[in-house]
Amino acid sequence: MFSLNKKTITKKEQAVLDYMNRIYKKLEERDPHETEFLQAAKMLFNSLIPVFVKNSTYMEHNILERIIEPERIIMFRVPWVDDDNNMRVNRGYRVQFNSAIGPYKGGIRFHPSVNLSIMKFLGLTQIFKNSLTGQPIGGGKGGADFDPKGKSDQEIMRFCQSYMTELVNHIGPDTDIPAGDIGVGKREIGYMFGQYKRLQGAYHAGVLTGKALNYGGSRGRTEATGYGTIYFVDEMLKDNNLSFKNATLITSGSGNVAIYAMEKAIKLGAKVVACSDSSGYVYDPNGLSLQTIKRLKLTESARISEYVNTHPHAEYFDDGSKIWSVPCDIALPCATQNEIDEDSAKSLIQNGVRVVAEGANMPCTSEAIDLFIENNILFGPAQAVNAGGVAASALEMAQNSSRLAWSAEEVDVQLQVIMKRIYRRCTKAAQTYKQPKNLVVGSNIAGFTKVADTMIDLGNI
Ligand code: NDP
């Protein structure tokens, strides 16, 4: 399973490989159906081999086995009534993965694909992403297998209220602070915050982030993940004497992350030629109109296919996964997990891609990432690239605690500082462990060491 790509393996290295193999085998035997979680764990373990070899304390404290087990998992029934008076039930989750460096923090996803494996993989990667930001936040994730598509506003409200009726028992401004994710935006956060406030009989503004401005939201939070993605990629480009100017860019998805990534990239001189939704993708070699995409996706909740109605020179293809065959300099997967597999990666490389950066969480399979790294494509991993969202959420928490509201410029300046710092941390860790071009290794190591060292300080709890 885990191995080192070299002829002679020292005793110390062999001991680490044995340790990792033993723990991974146990995970596989215990939860063989949790494929996404196992995938994320494997990627993490692989990056951490040199850290465990260099620092024997981590093995002495059995950090890997401890860190890979969530502190708490809450699974619950979410009953609700639809508009036709049918009693419906979904399954809700909150995975409180690690609170060593701060209260659990991570989004809530409403999507029919949600299951425990996806919640655990998202929670695990959230720990290291949050640590990388340098802010005092632990890792968690939540959601439900509820499909918001086609539901009325009243149905969404009833569902959010029911979900919060159970979640209220487990969260708080100093314990666990959820935010949005796929299928959960300002509207859903508003309904959940309203229900939390009603059940608590108190106004704890800092219990959820991603709120609207009127009741404690932060300026710049909506844009933060997309903008942060571009700030990170900008650092990667500058470090390699490249820039966004005249670069051709594609993003998968046309949701929160994709839209604001496109917006900032265009501002920095890039040309966005393709983007998608879960049904298909649009392509225009002369550049897409972000104004139309925003109208379709943010205002009208329409399909991206409708883009060609007002832009007949653009083309629509009804298989979104084929977007990776579009030639580009920069590819930003910003939709969902495992959207770029080995074949898509080969196609991107053959068509001359220079940079791939993960706006979404785990959108590239490990085979795809290996190919990018082997072919010297600049690769930005999710835990670093999309950390701007949670970083701005932590800034929202800071504003809520101090009962202040910062200007959009203040938030944006802080976001830029944080993204630059994350980039520096990743490159420094990658250099220290002699893999200077590998930001996957760099980001995992930089995120991990702070949490692991703290767990040692706090004892075996
Ligand atoms: P949204 O729900 O706003 O948008 C998701 C977009 O992806 C939509 O355009 C959706 O299409 C599309 N999509 C969903 N599933 C697929 C699929 N299987 N194939 C192609 N397209 C698909 O979500 P976000 O933009 O908030 O999140 C996107 C990713 O970024 C997720 O992985 C999330 O975990 C991650 N992320 C988000 C953060 C945030 O602050 N929002 C922070 C950090 C990470 P359709 O319109 O058809 O549904």
Side-chain angles (χ1 to χ4, degrees):
M1 230 175 324
F2 298 104
S3 57
L4 284 168
N5 198 10
K6 57 183 199 168
K7 272 197 189 128
T8 352
I9 292 181
T10 64
K11 257 189 176 166
K12 216 169 173 186
E13 287 168 341
Q14 192 56 55
V16 169
L17 293 175
D18 291 346
Y19 172 66
M20 293 203 166
N21 282 325
R22 181 170 59 74
I23 291 170
Y24 188 78
K25 193 161 169 258
K26 205 167 156 185
L27 285 183
E28 260 186 335
E29 282 170 1
R30 193 191 265 178
D31 300 304
H33 52 286
E34 293 186 354
T35 47
E36 294 85 358
F37 177 62
L38 290 169
Q39 181 185 343
K42 197 182 235 172
M43 286 191 202
L44 175 72
F45 286 19
N46 256 322
S47 318
L48 295 178
I49 295 171
V51 185
F52 276 71
V53 171
K54 194 170 174 189
N55 190 340
S56 56
T57 344
Y58 294 141
M59 222 160 83
E60 284 157 21
H61 285 83
N62 194 14
I63 286 295
L64 207 56
E65 191 168 8
R66 289 166 57 199
I67 216 166
I68 206 70
E69 187 65 24
E71 288 176 17
R72 192 173 299 103
I73 295 176
I74 302 134
M75 274 172 67
F76 49 98
R77 178 170 66 201
V78 189
W80 58 284
V81 178
D82 69 20
D83 287 346
D84 298 322
N85 271 330
N86 297 306
M87 289 192 225
R88 309 269 293 263
V89 175
N90 283 91
R91 182 172 286 175
Y93 302 85
R94 186 75 188 162
V95 176
Q96 298 182 329
F97 221 121
N98 193 298
S99 62
I101 61 168
Y104 311 106
K105 178 95 198 84
I108 293 177
R109 177 178 292 191
F110 289 164
H111 193 271
S113 65
V114 163
N115 58 33
L116 189 54
S117 170
I118 290 181
M119 293 286 98
K120 281 176 66 181
F121 115 65
L122 289 166
L124 179 69
T125 50
Q126 194 81 46
I127 304 170
F128 308 108
K129 179 187 309 189
N130 293 3
S131 163
L132 261 183
T133 67
Q135 294 156 311
I137 38 179
K141 198 80 190 185
D145 59 357
F146 170 74
D147 188 358
K149 280 212 180 83
K151 301 289 187 300
S152 71
D153 191 51
Q154 290 298 305
E155 288 176 324
I156 298 281
M157 183 180 73
R158 287 194 290 271
F159 184 82
C160 290
Q161 289 177 337
S162 181
Y163 180 82
M164 183 50 80
T165 301
E166 174 57 34
L167 199 67
V168 70
N169 299 312
H170 311 283
I171 62 172
D174 295 313
T175 28
D176 184 353
I177 305 99
D181 191 75
I182 294 179
V184 177
K186 276 207 177 71
R187 173 181 62 166
E188 292 74 19
I189 293 289
Y191 291 147
M192 286 192 264
F193 183 69
Q195 183 74 347
Y196 179 89
K197 185 175 85 64
R198 183 180 189 200
L199 293 170
Q200 289 290 25
Y203 207 101
H204 297 147
V207 71
L208 289 166
T209 59
K211 302 181 291 292
L213 290 184
N214 283 345
Y215 53 94
S218 172
R219 290 184 179 81
R221 171 61 187 93
T222 308
E223 298 84 356
T225 311
Y227 283 12
T229 295
I230 299 303
Y231 294 147
F232 189 90
V233 174
D234 201 31
E235 293 302 302
M236 295 169 75
L237 291 170
K238 281 185 197 149
D239 229 4
N240 290 276
N241 298 318
L242 297 166
S243 93
F244 277 108
K245 206 126 200 85
N246 300 323
T248 323
L249 184 145
I250 63 176
T251 78
S252 60
S254 45
N256 174 271
V257 180
I259 282 181
Y260 293 104
M262 289 190 255
E263 182 166 277
K264 187 56 78 178
I266 291 170
K267 191 135 195 247
L268 295 180
K271 182 168 68 171
V272 179
V273 295
C275 75
S276 65
D277 64 14
S278 54
S279 312
Y281 74 91
V282 280
Y283 171 59
D284 184 344
N286 297 315
L288 295 169
S289 155
L290 186 61
Q291 203 183 354
T292 307
I293 296 166
K294 276 182 152 181
R295 172 176 56 77
L296 289 173
K297 301 309 279 190
L298 298 182
T299 314
E300 298 172 4
S301 296
R303 308 309 300 157
I304 203 72
S305 56
E306 291 174 42
Y307 183 89
V308 294
N309 297 346
T310 47
H311 299 270
H313 50 281
E315 287 180 275
Y316 174 72
F317 299 88
D318 64 5
D319 181 354
S321 67
K322 294 281 185 300
I323 193 171
W324 311 117
S325 62
V326 172
C328 63
D329 301 309
I330 302 171
L332 303 178
C334 294
T336 192
Q337 61 273 1
N338 291 330
E339 20 166 351
I340 299 189
D341 59 9
E342 212 173 337
D343 288 341
S344 307
K346 279 183 187 156
S347 171
L348 281 165
I349 295 166
Q350 270 159 17
N351 286 325
V353 76
R354 305 289 301 270
V355 181
V356 178
E358 299 184 311
N361 283 315
M362 207 167 75
C364 300
T365 63
S366 43
E367 292 79 14
I369 296 174
D370 289 347
L371 273 177
F372 292 137
I373 291 172
E374 278 161 27
N375 285 277
N376 292 322
I377 309 299
L378 302 178
F379 179 75
Q383 60 270 27
V385 172
N386 71 30
V390 74
S393 276
L395 299 179
E396 183 174 332
M397 289 161 65
Q399 293 169 74
N400 294 152
S401 301
S402 59
R403 296 179 196 269
L404 292 172
W406 304 343
S407 69
E409 292 71 31
E410 278 174 285
V411 175
D412 193 51
V413 166
Q414 294 229 30
L415 178 66
Q416 292 187 46
V417 169
I418 291 169
M419 296 314 296
K420 280 185 187 166
R421 194 167 61 201
I422 292 175
Y423 181 74
R424 273 202 311 276
R425 285 197 173 128
C426 295
T427 44
K428 193 172 163 211
Q431 277 156 8
T432 307
Y433 286 90
K434 304 201 169 38
Q435 301 190 51
K437 295 272 172 217
N438 193 332
L439 296 183
V440 179
V441 166
S443 60
N444 275 334
I445 293 177
F448 168 84
T449 40
K450 180 176 172 189
V451 179
D453 293 345
T454 309
M455 286 175 75
I456 293 172
D457 288 348
L458 301 186
N460 190 12
I461 51 168

